[in-house]
Amino acid sequence: MLKKFLLPLLVIIFSSTYALADSDKTVDDTLDTLMGKNVHGKYHDFFTKFKKSVLMSDKESISSMIAYPITVSVENKEIDIKNKKDFLKNYNKIFNKELVKTIASQKYSDLFVKDTGVMIGQYKDVWFSGICTVSDCSEFDIKIMQINN
């Protein structure tokens, strides 16, 4: 009787492990296809740094990850953030408990990726993308382009 249940259980366990491992690879492959060959590491590092910075309330670090000027949506109202000073002044309004919770629960393997950027959250909470620093885009910085809470 135990054998009857053991094999399906092992199949489920190994399938789940494979699916999770494959999910990171799927995100990596999608990023490389849409954003440029072998760029996934840079995006993965950005996501990891951003998530860690949000969890630590590292406002200075997050402020350096923003593409200024940026218009953020805070409780269905738009706020124009011109620079780092404006961002720091409005940080607590922007990064409310719900947004922090969304970012904290976001897994790399569950990021939504399209040709215009990468989305954190189910409701377009945070978008980030590459910004070319040279004319042929062979060099770029990743920045947060949109924040909605």
Side-chain angles (χ1 to χ4, degrees):
M1 179 101 165
L2 183 61
K3 280 180 145 179
K4 184 176 183 180
F5 293 105
L6 188 56
L7 183 58
L9 180 61
L10 288 173
V11 169
I12 290 169
I13 291 169
F14 286 117
S15 296
S16 297
T17 303
Y18 178 74
L20 290 173
D22 188 49
S23 295
D24 278 4
K25 184 176 179 343
T26 300
V27 171
D28 289 347
D29 291 347
T30 304
L31 282 165
D32 288 345
T33 297
L34 296 175
M35 306 297 188
K37 191 174 182 177
N38 296 321
V39 299
H40 67 269
K42 194 168 183 175
Y43 278 88
H44 197 148
D45 291 347
F46 181 90
F47 170 73
T48 301
K49 178 183 176 186
F50 175 65
K51 183 174 177 176
K52 180 180 177 184
S53 297
V54 169
L55 294 175
M56 295 175 61
S57 297
D58 185 349
K59 300 171 188 178
E60 287 291 325
S61 178
I62 297 167
S63 71
S64 71
M65 303 172 93
I66 306 286
Y68 299 105
I70 184 173
T71 300
V72 299
S73 176
V74 176
E75 298 176 2
N76 297 317
K77 294 178 184 173
E78 291 188 345
I79 299 175
D80 292 324
I81 305 294
K82 296 176 184 129
N83 52 38
K84 177 181 175 176
K85 183 180 175 184
D86 280 350
F87 175 78
L88 293 172
K89 183 174 100 177
N90 288 285
Y91 178 86
N92 291 328
K93 290 181 198 172
I94 299 167
F95 285 89
N96 62 19
K97 289 180 184 179
E98 282 300 311
L99 183 58
V100 170
K101 182 179 172 183
T102 296
I103 295 164
S105 65
Q106 180 71 55
K107 297 177 185 172
Y108 178 79
S109 60
D110 294 332
L111 289 171
F112 175 76
V113 180
K114 62 185 257 179
D115 60 344
T116 56
V118 180
M119 182 179 76
I120 295 172
Q122 293 182 321
Y123 304 104
K124 303 176 185 172
D125 299 298
V126 178
W127 280 94
F128 58 92
S129 189
I131 299 175
C132 300
T133 56
V134 294
S135 60
D136 68 355
C137 285
S138 60
E139 296 177 29
F140 63 95
D141 291 329
I142 299 173
K143 297 287 184 178
I144 296 167
M145 313 295 285
Q146 184 177 353
I147 302 171
N148 304 303
N149 72 11

